[in-house]
Amino acid sequence: MTSNNGESVGARTCVASQFFKDDKAIDMTTSEKVVDLLNQAALIATDSKLTVLKQVQELIINKDPSLLDNFLDEIIAFQTDKSMEVRKFVIGFIEEACKRDNELLLRLIANLNMLLKDESVNVVKKAILTFTQLYKVALQWFVRSKVMSEMQEACWDMVTQMKEDILAMLDIDNDGVRTHAIKFTESLIITLSPRTSDSDTPKRQEGDISLDKIPKDHPYIRYDTLCEEGKSALEQLLKFMVHPAISSINLTTALGSLATLARQRPMFMSEVVQAYETLHANLPPTLAKSQVSSVRKNLKLHLLAVLKHPCSLEFQGQISTLLLDLGMSQNEIARNTPAPREQRKRPRIEPYSDGKKLKMEPVLLEDDDDKEEPVAPSVSKPSSVPAAQSAIDLTAEFLRPLLSPENVANLVLISMVYLPDVMPASFQATYTPVESAGTDAQIKHLARLMATQMTAAEIGPGETSKDLLIKRKVPVVGQAISVVGGGYTEKSQLETPQVKRLPEPILPSTQIKMPGASGKRKVFRLADVVQPFTDAQLEKMTNTAVKRILHSEKAIAQSGMSHVRVKLLSRLVCQFEGIMMDDVLEFILEDIRTRIDLAFSLLYQEYNTYLSQQPAGLLDAYDHCLFTLLAGLQEKPEQRDGLFTKLVLEAPLITESALDVIRRYCEDESRVYLGMTTLKELIIKRPSRQFQYLHVLLDLSSHEKEKVRSNALSFIKRMYEKDQLRDYIEKFALNYMQLLVHPNPPSLLFSADKDTEVASPWTEETVRQCLYLYLSLLPLNHRLVHELASVYTEAIADIKRSVLRVIEQPIRGMGMNSPDLLLLVENCPKGAETLVTRCLHILTDKVPPSPELVERVRDLYHKRVPDVRFLIPVINGLEKKEVIQALPKLIKLNPVVVKEVFNRLLGTQHSKTPVPSSPALFTFLLMEMIPPTSTATNLCFGERNVYTSEVLAVVMQQLMEHSPLPILLMRTVIQSLTMYPRLGGFVMNILSRLIVKQVWKYPKVWEGFVKCCQRTKPQSYSVLLQLPPAQLTSVFERCPEMREPLLQHVHSFTPHQQAHITASVMTVLEANSKQPEPEAMRPVMAERKVMGSGGTHVFCSVCH
Amino acid sequence: MPSHPLRVAVVCSSNQNRSMEAHNILSKRGFDVRSFGTGSHVKLPGPAPDKPNVYDFKTTYEQMYNDLVRKDKELYTQNGILHMLDRNKRIKSRPERFQSCKEQFDLVITCEERVYDQVLEDLSSREQETFTPVHVINVDIQDNHEEATLGAFLICELCQCIQHTDDMENEMDELLQEFEDKSNRPFLHTVCFY
């Protein structure tokens, strides 16, 4: 043990392997190396652990086997390792160790047994592989040691037990493990059967033990037992193969195993070929298409392998037929067929089981049927009667003469009925057109195919004869009893010798049997054989009978008797009080379109039953029937064919639960229209219960889904036109609205799942719910509006708000000419003022108020409720005087309201095109009435699209013509000028005219005048020059800074112009400076004229 | 899942195009892969359909390459043969014949039905010893460069799926069915034993 390499595990591995490879570690014995390696292995990760362990294995098995015993326990300890790979290594080690030293089997077999039951399938598979080898090793070893110790016996028992365990794994549900189990079975069968001279044994297995090497006098290992075990294994394998749900891989594996068996143990060839035949005729239905082709390919491959074996001679007929079926050409088959020289050898096949000699010769001579066998002309006497004539052969023989064209045609016709709708993948893949139809060979093949099937089903003369044989044998051969319990393969194996020996009595015996049986026939008495059925049996039979009628739909339809079937079914179902009802209903619902007849028939039958039991009759059955049908239809996806409607309208009676289904149908958004149309039809066409149906529709009018609701409302509106329904609808609507007076929403407003124990407060939603119907009726019947008013007065504030929000549409729909609405305005119940105001607003929102409406409002305002807010909606329609009266009050309201008032007055609400006179007039009123509120003017000026420059020009014109001059005149002028600078010329004109009007007499206006001049200099100079000197002085007093520029201005005049300036003016101008030149005064006038005409021009353009 | 990487053999007839393409991709994805041909000779397209270039399996790719360059460089550049040989020689030195290889695999993938038959025939003619199963799967691939590339990816995906199964043998059937549905081509599948 080296102590110096303690760095890392990896490094140690390297060092160790180096030691191992170079073999330089002279100072270490092999034993020490192993110890070191094992110590490492215990610590390191799986990958390197495997490397290390493999080194150990190499050391102790090949290099120095003497160490094997010493380290066995250490290595075996790894069998509990977490890693599956390590456990697999241990298995491999066990195999190697046992092969090296058979003694170790005694110690290791139990470990292998443990690993065979490992949780990992991969370990189990490896264990099976190893056991496959070790079984042979063990057997050989035990056979060699003549005297067996107790331990050896126990070991052999365990081996036998393990063998059984693995055979049982053929039924395990892991595909891979099954595959391995099959291979084990194959190897086991070969070991447990005798090698014969014609065995095709691979070189490597030359030395392997087989049954023939086992002494019959061994103290512990019994030849007979092993022989039986081998046969039973073969039987299990064959049984496994015919499992209908076998996986394709298992099947492939088994096919290969059988081929191996046939080649290595030609004595089994008969079973193998037969198994191939059976398989070919019955490929498992579970295989997919590509799997079928894989399996067929394998079958072909293995058949060829079997065919190549010399002993295949007697099966050549069958094999080549199969190969032909699998798509191989005659030539190819011929090429792979061995030369017939083997024929002579054939009798040498030794029956191994109990030494009974087969007597072939008589059988051979008997055969003359195969002369026409076209398969392999090279074989003079091919496929003679098989050595072992099995049940299949017997049945085939029996069938052959029966296969006349007529019979075959009948068979085909009969079996047509059982053909599946879709061609199975296996058939599709295997089908090849029959080339040689009608030839003898083909008939023979057909007979064999059928025989295979019949034998599988345990019918036919072959089977019968077998049974007979067993019976006969009982007294003669005692051991045969044990055979009876086995599968048929074993039977045929045992019986075939008998068949050979006594070929004659078997076939006749079937005929003899008949009279024998009939001789014992008793006098027939019905009472002896019949027993009354139990109730359960009766019920079962009834059910199945009805089911048969039910499902024979197509067949009956073809014969044109559908109506009888329908009648029969409905009566049966009714009579048996609904036992079958659900099945039938389900059946109808599967395809109700074509089965609607049955549905109606059933409904009416049930209804009839109900009527006939009056007055005590119960509707339950009918109700159940109708309900199930409707509910079934409702649950089905979209259908446009109106079956639902048809069913509802034609049902003799609509029950409560059916009505529920209709209701649910209506609630389905995708079907709401169809559902409600149906409901409408019901209401109209079934007057006796129309209110019941109407109620459902009305209920839906407050549904939470918008689509449902709107549909319901539009349907109701149509119904409302019908006199007999009107009252009911109206009452319902009013009742519903009446709910609003409750302090909390009543529970009927909620769907069942949303209703709460504690009353919830009103919400917008619940309020709307109460009103939907009412509001949609309102435009149709204006009288209803008064009810709203009375409810409104009683309702709480929240509800009031909601109501105000929702009434817009209907009120507008009513229009302002509605007498009822006018009446409402006129009466205006106490507490409903807000409602009335809201109505007025809604009405006048888009159109100007009608005189009538104005009249009512005025009346209301003056006589009953002097609230100025009433006037706002109709303000446009009021007299000027009234407006003027109201304005002061209006202005005091909050700015939003004021704005609305102005909007209305300015006409912005109703039309986009401004009406010039109206705003101009208003401005005028404004100037006159409310001088202090410049906010109002600001508001007006804010409306630029109303107050265009043109309009303002008109306003100014009008204001100026007013006498006395309005106080806000100059303010307006200045403001207009600020907004529209291009009005400058016009403003100058105004100013000039103001001078004519002696503007200085109005102090406020004069002040504005000066300000305006100040703002508009130098344009305003010419205006200033027109002022009388006293006023000019006044101007200069107010703003002295004007004087100098004005003087400058005058000085710039031409002398002619200067001539127009009066001297007094000049004096004022020059108060503090030099005299102006007199000639400069004249042109000013001209200038002024020009400007005046310019201003007029502006004015004119404004007027146009 | 087996802890060791899947031992894969890819087999086509000449071990040139389809098997090498798959060999290339699979080895890049970390598989323990070898490639083989099953034909008696290596055949490469020649100047005319009836005049193929025939080599035996001992000829290296390098030698073939040089031979073809000598014969008609332009032709063999144009039909991609030189490019293919160039790729091949960087993977291994010479084509290998499946029948002469005694190594054991977990999975053998063949590229056409004829090759599948030959592989099966070879495997079943060998003497069975350990009974270790080997799965043989046929994926039909046409023998041209495009199909070879597509086929190689399919094979690679298949191998990856198989590598990732917990219990390969138990899940193989289902896996192949899924692949058949997905790739819309049938797979032949069988199991042989060493």
Side-chain angles (χ1 to χ4, degrees), chain A residues 21-59:
Chain A
K21 262 189 258 164
D22 306 346
D23 215 7
K24 273 189 213 154
I26 308 156
D27 53 328
M28 280 175 95
T29 62
T30 314
S31 160
E32 279 168 339
K33 263 188 270 175
V34 171
V35 169
D36 187 38
L37 289 169
L38 282 174
N39 280 341
Q40 288 171 27
L43 296 170
I44 54 185
T46 307
D47 284 351
S48 26
K49 193 187 283 184
L50 278 176
T51 328
V52 173
L53 285 175
K54 276 177 191 156
Q55 289 168 20
V56 175
Q57 177 173 341
E58 183 63 26
L59 283 175

Side-chain angles (χ1 to χ4, degrees), chain A residues 105-106 109-110 131 134-143 145 148-164 184 188 191-192 209 211 214 218-223 225-227 229:
Chain A
L105 271 171
L106 299 178
I109 197 74
F131 186 72
L134 286 188
Y135 183 80
K136 288 187 273 190
V137 172
L139 188 58
Q140 194 139 28
W141 182 52
F142 288 132
V143 166
S145 48
M148 278 179 83
S149 66
E150 233 170 82
M151 265 184 66
Q152 276 173 314
E153 277 180 30
C155 178
W156 177 245
D157 284 346
M158 179 160 259
V159 168
T160 311
Q161 183 53 48
M162 285 165 78
K163 179 208 76 184
E164 291 300 330
F184 170 76
L188 185 72
T191 308
L192 297 185
I209 186 147
L211 194 63
I214 291 173
H218 194 275
Y220 198 74
I221 292 168
R222 305 249 173 251
Y223 182 94
T225 319
L226 290 185
C227 174
E229 281 176 1

